[in-house]
Amino acid sequence: MLTERVPVGLMSSVVAPEKPTSNTMDTIVLILVKEQNGVQFTSTTLVAPTPTQTHPSGEEERETWGKKIDFLLSVIGFAVDLANVWRFPYLCYKNGGGAFLVPYLFFMVIAGMPLFYMELALGQYNREGAAGVWKICPIFKGVGFTVILISLYVGFYYNVIISWALFYLFSSFTSELPWVHCNNTWNSPNCSDWADNSSVSDIYKSTPAQEYFERGVLHIQDSNGINDLGRPRWQLTSCLAVVIVLLYFSLWKGVKTSGKVVWITATMPYVVLTVLLLRGVTLPGAIDGIKAYLSVDFLRLCDPKVWIEAATQICFSLGVGFGVLIAFSSYNKFSNNCYRDAIITTSINSLTSFFSGFVVFSFLGYMSYKHNVALDKVARDGAGLVFVIYPEAIATLPGSSVWAVIFFIMLLTLGIDSAMGGMESVITGLIDEFKFLHKHRELFTLFIVVSTFLISLFCVTNGGMYVFTLLDHFAAGTSILFGVLIEAIGIAWFYGVDRFSDDIEEMIGQRPGLYWRLCWKFVSPCFLLRLAYAITPETEHHLVDNGEVRQFTLHHWLVV
């Protein structure tokens, strides 16, 4: 293209930038003017910067979930864990049956959902892990590191439970399950089958399933206490190593890999629970067990302990306070509807807990019928339910090995995705705080899982159950409640409910209603002041049950 001549002697070529256009992306037009044989030629080049997604604050966008369903399955998989199977059904049975749903749903609406919604929104808006989100109010950053540390502590013993399930799974691939009789090398003289045990309440008697768990798997008989742990047992150590390898390859590439793993680990428990329920309701006595589970005793609602246990179950079953919800939601797209996600996932979690009760009590009713004992003789919660009572019930069924494999696969998948959530909280929280770790996520993930494995070895020794119990009681008890309390106060009172609501409106185009704002500012913090237990000596806990908390009196604070 011909243009006007440039005066000779100025330059043989000129680069002239054109003013950037005011589009969404700046474009620079370069005009190159060259002179050849006295004739000037021009060529035009459009130079556009590499497109990058940016946060409204101007920060570069972080990695996001491959699909929306990956996020939902990850949150559901984390929240729906072993406690949904071994704790909620027993609490429901013990505290008035169907009547227990009244305080449970009440606390779900006034505290569980608001806190869950708060953490999802906090992580999604700030695009950081549990520590980094406190750039909104730096004085509370210690809370972020607290929940990261708690998640790390929980991993020390939670992975051990999964290794137990894996050990049971391997042991189920036999023609005869190893916990059906008392003729094994680990059995004690006190071992007695239910049929031979005329007095079930006899404290000196133990069933084959109980002895298999305590003596065949844990080998508690070879330890004199926590001061006599012994060496790690190679069988459990091998199972723990397999669990750690599974966790590493699920997490090493971030949400791109973990989001695919949960398609199996989060959905498999529902398939297995349905299969077990269909089998369970066909067993004799199953209907009686389900009736006991659902029996309504509204008089139990007059007992304050029932309300306290409902509040405790809500707080721990939803998984708030571990930094996991913050970490997961930080990988959402900025405009994702976190309000809808909170409603969906909390509802699914509660429905799963309720549904699992039918499965558990159909088999407990069968055990009660088969051994001709009262239901409360076989009903229990915790590890005793899934590693003693349930295996014992399965062992009496035709094709027991197949049912055992199915059941322990369910436990394995229930545990793995919850463990993945806890690890992701630690990894995301730390690499977001220490930016140089972003480039070395694979190595840092390896460091975290190997460190967890080494600490967990204390729990797979002969006396490992003592260490396990210590961690279980103190790693994530009142510390979680305290962390969530400070978190709620930090957001509602220091950062401000109004500003937090503005943030949510900026993301989803809709401001939270008055109900949510009242819950965040007043109701949820008051709910968390169940902390009366945390500041009261254990010898006075019975007074807390009666509403007598010495630390809540003016005299306690003024006396000198």
Side-chain angles (χ1 to χ4, degrees):
M1 184 171 82
L2 296 175
T3 64
E4 294 183 6
R5 290 188 56 141
V6 176
V8 179
L10 285 178
M11 60 186 67
S12 62
S13 65
V14 179
V15 177
E18 186 178 297
K19 289 181 94 172
T21 58
S22 58
N23 294 334
T24 55
M25 185 179 300
D26 291 343
T27 303
I28 300 175
V29 181
L30 296 180
I31 302 175
L32 179 65
V33 182
K34 297 201 308 183
E35 182 176 338
Q36 292 181 355
N37 298 326
V39 180
Q40 295 173 342
F41 298 90
T42 64
S43 62
T44 304
T45 306
L46 300 180
V47 181
T50 304
T52 56
Q53 294 181 329
T54 57
H55 182 269
S57 65
E59 298 176 1
E60 196 170 302
E61 193 72 51
R62 74 199 268 119
E63 177 188 15
T64 58
W65 296 95
K67 296 179 181 178
K68 172 65 177 288
I69 191 65
D70 294 351
F71 165 70
L72 290 176
L73 288 176
S74 296
V75 174
I76 292 170
F78 166 70
V80 177
D81 67 349
L82 295 167
N84 292 74
V85 175
W86 76 24
R87 180 147 179 83
F88 175 84
Y90 178 76
L91 287 178
C92 198
Y93 163 73
K94 187 179 75 169
N95 294 307
F100 182 71
L101 296 177
V102 174
Y104 180 83
L105 293 177
F106 174 72
F107 287 127
M108 166 67 79
V109 172
I110 69 164
M113 284 184 173
L115 291 171
F116 199 94
Y117 181 18
M118 179 186 73
E119 288 205 347
L120 290 186
L122 182 64
Q124 183 172 307
Y125 184 82
N126 292 284
R127 326 293 287 164
E128 299 262 4
V133 294
W134 289 106
K135 59 189 177 185
I136 63 174
C137 191
I139 196 174
F140 286 93
K141 180 164 283 193
V143 179
F145 285 113
T146 297
V147 299
I148 290 172
L149 189 60
I150 291 172
S151 290
L152 188 62
Y153 279 167
V154 170
F156 294 156
Y157 71 91
Y158 195 85
N159 294 335
V160 175
I161 302 176
I162 306 173
S163 70
W164 294 345
L166 188 61
F167 184 90
Y168 268 82
L169 177 62
F170 291 147
S171 301
S172 300
F173 288 99
T174 59
S175 57
E176 184 181 51
L177 295 174
W179 54 83
V180 296
H181 55 69
C182 295
N183 300 327
N184 302 289
T185 56
W186 58 79
N187 289 126
S188 72
N190 294 326
C191 181
S192 175
D193 186 70
W194 282 88
D196 302 326
N197 191 354
S198 58
S199 177
V200 178
S201 60
D202 190 345
I203 61 173
Y204 297 105
K205 295 292 184 180
S206 54
T207 64
Q210 181 180 348
E211 290 211 342
Y212 178 74
F213 178 56
E214 295 176 354
R215 301 172 64 88
V217 178
L218 303 182
H219 281 255
I220 295 179
Q221 74 276 10
D222 296 328
S223 172
N224 295 320
I226 198 170
N227 61 331
D228 179 28
L229 296 180
R231 295 179 179 179
R233 299 192 57 78
W234 71 266
Q235 299 94 332
L236 288 180
T237 301
S238 301
C239 292
L240 182 61
V242 172
V243 172
I244 292 298
V245 170
L246 289 174
L247 286 175
Y248 176 71
F249 286 106
S250 299
L251 296 169
W252 71 318
K253 293 293 186 181
V255 296
K256 296 299 183 185
T257 52
S258 64
K260 300 299 179 285
V261 174
V262 292
W263 279 79
I264 298 174
T265 58
T267 57
M268 179 65 74
Y270 292 96
V271 175
V272 176
L273 280 173
T274 303
V275 171
L276 290 174
L277 178 63
L278 294 176
R279 181 66 181 98
V281 294
T282 64
L283 298 173
I287 302 302
D288 293 332
I290 293 175
K291 286 181 179 178
Y293 170 55
L294 296 177
S295 63
V296 178
D297 181 8
F298 285 109
L299 293 178
R300 294 284 292 137
L301 298 183
C302 298
D303 185 351
K305 192 172 183 180
V306 173
W307 293 80
I308 290 173
E309 291 194 337
T312 305
Q313 179 64 14
I314 282 293
C315 191
F316 289 107
S317 68
L318 291 180
V320 294
F322 289 92
V324 178
L325 302 178
I326 295 175
F328 280 165
S329 62
S330 72
Y331 296 107
N332 277 333
K333 294 179 180 178
F334 184 75
S335 58
N336 175 67
N337 192 334
C338 55
Y339 168 69
R340 182 175 56 200
D341 294 344
I343 299 299
I344 291 173
T345 50
T346 54
S347 299
I348 290 176
N349 178 73
S350 297
L351 288 173
T352 304
S353 297
F354 185 63
F355 176 69
S356 65
F358 289 90
V359 182
V360 170
F361 275 86
S362 63
F363 277 86
L364 291 181
Y366 165 66
M367 288 292 290
S368 173
Y369 171 85
K370 184 174 180 62
H371 300 298
N372 195 28
V373 296
L375 187 66
D376 59 2
K377 297 294 184 182
V378 295
R380 68 175 73 175
D381 64 345
L385 174 65
V386 295
F387 292 112
V388 177
I389 298 298
Y390 227 95
E392 188 170 3
I394 289 174
T396 64
L397 302 177
S400 57
S401 295
V402 175
W403 290 108
V405 168
I406 292 174
F407 176 72
F408 290 112
I409 285 177
M410 180 191 72
L411 291 189
L412 191 63
T413 54
L414 275 173
I416 282 289
D417 46 15
S418 296
M420 284 168 53
M423 287 291 182
E424 189 61 59
S425 171
V426 176
I427 296 167
T428 297
L430 293 178
I431 67 175
D432 282 345
E433 187 62 23
F434 305 101
K435 303 296 184 183
F436 70 92
L437 293 174
H438 271 287
K439 297 180 180 179
H440 310 285
R441 179 183 171 106
E442 292 89 349
L443 286 176
F444 183 65
T445 301
L446 181 63
F447 170 75
I448 292 295
V449 298
V450 169
S451 300
T452 302
F453 170 75
L454 294 176
I455 299 297
S456 298
L457 288 178
F458 288 102
C459 296
V460 294
T461 58
N462 293 333
M465 194 60 179
Y466 299 107
V467 180
F468 176 91
T469 304
L470 188 69
L471 289 170
D472 185 34
H473 277 75
F474 297 105
T478 52
S479 55
I480 278 289
L481 298 177
F482 182 77
V484 179
L485 173 65
I486 302 302
E487 183 181 287
I489 292 174
I491 293 174
W493 290 91
F494 285 81
Y495 182 62
V497 165
D498 54 341
R499 293 187 63 186
F500 188 58
S501 299
D502 291 340
D503 295 344
I504 294 175
E505 185 176 14
E506 185 180 350
M507 290 190 294
I508 68 177
Q510 180 180 354
R511 190 176 178 83
L514 178 62
Y515 171 78
W516 299 103
R517 301 198 302 273
L518 287 174
C519 285
W520 288 329
K521 192 151 191 172
F522 301 107
V523 180
S524 296
C526 291
F527 161 81
L528 292 167
L529 288 174
R530 287 192 324 97
L531 284 171
Y533 281 101
I535 60 175
T536 303
E538 292 184 357
T539 54
E540 298 179 17
H541 279 189
H542 65 285
L543 298 177
V544 179
D545 293 338
N546 298 327
E548 302 174 20
V549 185
R550 173 170 48 84
Q551 288 81 352
F552 287 176
T553 62
L554 188 62
H555 177 267
H556 173 78
W557 295 102
L558 296 181
V559 67
V560 291

